[in-house]
Amino acid sequence: MMEEIRKAGKIKPFDVIDVLIMILFILIMAYPLWFIVVGAFNEGKDYMRGGVYLWPRVWTLDNFKAVFRDKSILNSFAVTIAKCAVGTVTSVLFTCLVSYGLCRPNLKFKKVYIPFIMFTMFFGGGLIPYFLLIRGLHLYNTFWVYIIPSLFNVWNMIIIQSFMRELPEALNESAKMDGAGEYRIFLQIILPLSKPVIAAISLFTIVGHWNSYFDSMMYTADASLQTIQLYLKKVITDPSVAAGMGATAARVVPDAAAKITAQSVKLAAMAVTALPVVAVYPFLQKYFVKGMTIGAVKG
């Protein structure tokens, strides 16, 4: 029976092997996250005994209560959400403006602009000159250090520009005959037609802002400006931070003192930080794939 199905072309050995390899890769990549979730929902003292791998042995929410009792994580979430919202809108809009301008055939000195822009994609001044530049622009230890330096992304510009070049030039010519200027053409014609690439670039930008911690670590000194990823880094690398969170929860809920450990609090903090993006990503994956193929050469 299987031989007949194989000859009919319904099931091929390559397909079976391919599926098995993909399942193995999925398990390898998904299990570390699942291991974190299991440890986060398991009682801390019981978790220290070991043997908790696939399912919580003693269920509890005390680890998460300890995390959310810390006001720092709520502030970090607020800063990160504001960073993602403002940073994504401004970056996508500014990058679209530059991409549209470079697509225009009548742009003067276009051959001069493009090499300079591409140069910045491959070469940088280094960390110390960049830090001095941030201080010189009075961006250090301000919220705008997350927004202004990330306004423009060369790779995103290439993707958007490739898409805009596919749009018929007749649209611009017709709009100009009706008296529309460049800004009106951009806002009322180009942007609405560019929704697919804008959606893809917006997702790239949101994920980038959510996962970044280096800018918060290097260019801010105020704890009220730290992002959720920097908060997580402190929880993981500094045992006193996790221990302090557990002690705070124990003061509020005395029964939790015997159930919480620094390790269980770390796992809960990691789960809280990672799960929002992990939960949203499967629904948005098609836009990521589409964003990588937009503007590709069509045969």
Side-chain angles (χ1 to χ4, degrees):
M1 181 67 179
M2 290 299 297
E3 182 66 19
E4 294 176 358
I5 296 176
R6 188 185 66 81
K7 290 181 178 180
K10 294 183 179 180
I11 298 179
K12 298 179 181 180
F14 175 80
D15 295 332
V16 176
I17 295 174
D18 187 40
V19 170
L20 292 177
I21 292 175
M22 290 300 103
I23 292 175
L24 178 61
F25 272 108
I26 291 172
L27 292 175
I28 292 174
M29 290 183 289
Y31 179 73
L33 181 60
W34 178 249
F35 182 77
I36 292 172
V37 174
V38 170
F41 280 101
N42 199 87
E43 185 180 283
K45 294 293 185 180
D46 178 77
Y47 183 82
M48 296 299 292
R49 293 166 47 201
V52 182
Y53 302 113
L54 297 177
W55 199 255
R57 188 163 51 209
V58 181
W59 282 84
T60 183
L61 295 176
D62 291 334
N63 299 319
F64 292 96
K65 292 178 182 179
V67 171
F68 285 107
R69 290 289 179 183
D70 187 1
K71 295 181 179 180
S72 297
I73 192 173
L74 301 178
N75 179 77
S76 299
F77 263 116
V79 171
T80 304
I81 292 172
K83 177 187 176 185
C84 290
V86 178
T88 300
V89 172
T90 55
S91 177
V92 172
L93 180 60
F94 188 82
T95 306
C96 285
L97 277 168
V98 176
S99 302
Y100 174 71
L102 293 175
C103 286
R104 306 308 303 135
N106 57 345
L107 178 66
K108 295 182 179 180
F109 308 114
K110 180 193 294 189
K111 294 183 179 180
V112 177
Y113 299 146
I114 293 179
F116 275 104
I117 293 174
M118 297 303 297
F119 182 85
T120 63
M121 186 176 181
F122 300 102
F123 302 96
L127 179 60
I128 295 177
Y130 187 74
F131 181 84
L132 295 176
L133 177 63
I134 293 296
R135 292 192 62 177
L137 295 174
H138 303 287
L139 296 175
Y140 180 76
N141 204 32
T142 67
F143 176 76
W144 297 106
V145 76
Y146 300 136
I147 308 302
I148 295 178
S150 61
L151 276 176
F152 181 68
N153 184 284
V154 180
W155 176 249
N156 291 345
M157 182 210 71
I158 294 174
I159 297 176
I160 296 173
Q161 192 178 32
S162 299
F163 180 87
M164 290 183 175
R165 283 175 177 170
E166 298 292 330
L167 300 177
E169 183 63 25
L171 294 173
N172 298 65
E173 296 175 356
S174 300
K176 287 183 178 179
M177 291 178 63
D178 292 335
E182 294 290 352
Y183 285 105
R184 186 173 182 181
I185 294 173
F186 173 74
L187 293 173
Q188 297 185 3
I189 298 178
I190 302 301
L191 281 186
L193 293 175
S194 302
K195 286 181 181 179
V197 71
I198 290 175
I201 296 302
S202 296
L203 292 173
F204 295 150
T205 307
I206 289 173
V207 173
H209 277 297
W210 182 272
N211 289 333
S212 66
Y213 73 93
F214 188 78
D215 49 0
S216 180
M217 181 177 66
M218 293 299 299
Y219 310 124
T220 63
D222 194 343
S224 63
L225 291 173
Q226 74 174 358
T227 60
I228 190 64
Q229 298 297 337
L230 181 60
Y231 172 87
L232 177 62
K233 178 181 179 298
K234 291 180 178 179
V235 171
I236 294 175
T237 58
D238 190 350
S240 63
V241 176
M245 293 165 60
T248 301
R251 287 196 299 268
V252 179
V253 186
D255 294 340
K259 303 177 182 179
I260 296 174
T261 63
Q263 181 65 20
S264 64
V265 171
K266 288 180 183 181
L267 294 173
M270 294 168 67
V272 168
T273 304
L275 285 181
V277 173
V278 173
V280 172
Y281 184 82
F283 301 100
L284 306 178
Q285 183 180 5
K286 61 180 180 179
Y287 294 107
F288 280 88
V289 175
K290 189 173 185 179
M292 298 305 295
T293 59
I294 282 175
V297 177
K298 300 175 178 61

